[in-house]
Amino acid sequence: MKKSLCYKFLIFSLFIFSTALISCKNTSETKLVYTESDTIKKSVKEKEKDITWTQEIEPKRLTEKITRSSMKLGSDVAYTKDLFKISNTNKAPVYPELSDFGSLDTRNLKSSVKDKLNNFCKSLSTENHSGADSYFSRKYIFNYVFFVNELESEWKNNFGKEYPREVKEEKTEESGIFTKWTFGEPFIGSEIMQIPVRFYATCGIIDITVYLNSSGNNEIYQITIDRWKKV
């Protein structure tokens, strides 16, 4: 009986000892985790002390509703509708362009030169090009002859139709060799002006370049045919 009691007491003592040992081990591990976490927090706080933070320049900027009326050009200048109209007028104008021809910006072309070139195109479009040669420099009149000869001889090759020798008397869309023409952006040098012209006919388009003297009477001294386009 005594042996049995001693044996039970021994088992009970071992159980208590084992429980205490495990408890101590867990307590030690918990304390170790806490110690490591505390070390990381301390390290972060030390890093924060070394960082220099700047203040926001405009802390409310992203939350504000920006409108045209709220925009400021100066300390006392509001961006009003009238001011918007004025600022719009300072923008450079955009001129249209034609495919395979270029810009239609003719601001640099004097009105006198434009009128002379327009009258030349009218004469060129009449039957037998009546009066067109008068706009050419007498010194270079042979260039005019070469141009007219090329225009008439290459018409059928490029448009597939005979050159219109006779021009209708009625003023219709098809009256004249050309129905209309337009000028392109000129090149103006100290001695010469180079002006592209696009002629429209009922059967196609002809692009030419007219060369004029920059001084004197702005006489034409050369014309080249640059492009034929059948329509």
Side-chain angles (χ1 to χ4, degrees):
M1 185 71 179
K2 289 182 180 180
K3 288 183 180 180
S4 178
L5 288 173
C6 290
Y7 180 73
K8 289 181 179 181
F9 179 76
L10 179 62
I11 292 175
F12 179 75
S13 298
L14 289 174
F15 174 77
I16 294 298
F17 178 76
S18 299
T19 302
L21 182 62
I22 292 171
S23 177
C24 290
K25 184 179 181 182
N26 290 339
T27 303
S28 177
E29 287 180 354
T30 303
K31 185 176 181 181
L32 179 61
V33 172
Y34 173 79
T35 302
E36 288 178 354
S37 175
D38 185 59
T39 303
I40 293 172
K41 289 180 181 180
K42 184 178 179 182
S43 177
V44 170
K45 287 182 179 181
E46 290 178 354
K47 290 290 184 182
E48 287 180 348
K49 290 180 182 180
D50 296 335
I51 297 174
T52 303
W53 298 95
T54 58
Q55 296 295 326
E56 294 176 278
I57 298 175
E58 294 178 304
K60 297 181 180 180
R61 189 64 173 176
L62 296 178
T63 59
E64 289 180 351
K65 185 178 180 180
I66 300 174
T67 61
R68 184 177 294 171
S69 59
S70 66
M71 295 176 66
K72 298 286 185 178
L73 297 182
S75 56
D76 300 316
V77 182
Y79 198 86
T80 62
K81 292 182 179 179
D82 293 334
L83 193 59
F84 176 75
K85 293 177 182 178
I86 295 173
S87 63
N88 257 3
T89 59
N90 294 328
K91 294 180 180 179
V94 178
Y95 286 82
E97 294 186 1
L98 295 178
S99 177
D100 300 327
F101 184 71
S103 173
L104 301 181
D105 182 4
T106 58
R107 289 175 297 169
N108 296 331
L109 196 60
K110 293 181 180 179
S111 57
S112 58
V113 176
K114 189 179 292 186
D115 291 341
K116 176 173 284 191
L117 193 58
N118 199 36
N119 290 332
F120 167 76
C121 293
K122 287 180 182 178
S123 299
L124 188 67
S125 186
T126 60
E127 188 175 347
N128 298 322
H129 319 297
S130 179
D133 60 323
S134 63
Y135 297 94
F136 242 83
S137 170
R138 295 294 98 186
K139 185 178 179 181
Y140 297 98
I141 194 64
F142 58 89
N143 285 334
Y144 169 76
V145 175
F146 293 152
F147 162 69
V148 170
N149 182 66
E150 183 182 0
L151 177 67
E152 296 178 357
S153 62
E154 292 297 321
W155 189 281
K156 187 175 182 179
N157 292 337
N158 289 279
F159 293 152
K161 293 184 178 181
E162 294 292 339
Y163 180 79
R165 297 288 177 182
E166 296 182 1
V167 179
K168 295 181 179 181
E169 293 182 2
E170 301 86 2
K171 295 296 180 181
T172 64
E173 190 178 82
E174 296 184 0
S175 64
I177 298 172
F178 302 108
T179 57
K180 63 179 180 178
W181 47 86
T182 186
F183 305 142
E185 184 176 11
F187 167 79
I188 301 177
S190 58
E191 298 182 357
I192 66 170
M193 285 185 289
Q194 184 176 325
I195 306 171
V197 183
R198 170 164 285 189
F199 284 99
Y200 295 86
T202 57
C203 51
I205 294 171
I206 303 175
D207 290 340
I208 71 170
T209 301
V210 182
Y211 297 84
L212 303 89
N213 294 319
S214 295
S215 57
N217 296 326
N218 302 128
E219 293 179 315
I220 301 172
Y221 68 89
Q222 177 66 290
I223 298 178
T224 60
I225 298 178
D226 304 319
R227 190 177 298 102
W228 300 78
K229 185 177 180 181
K230 184 180 178 180
V231 294

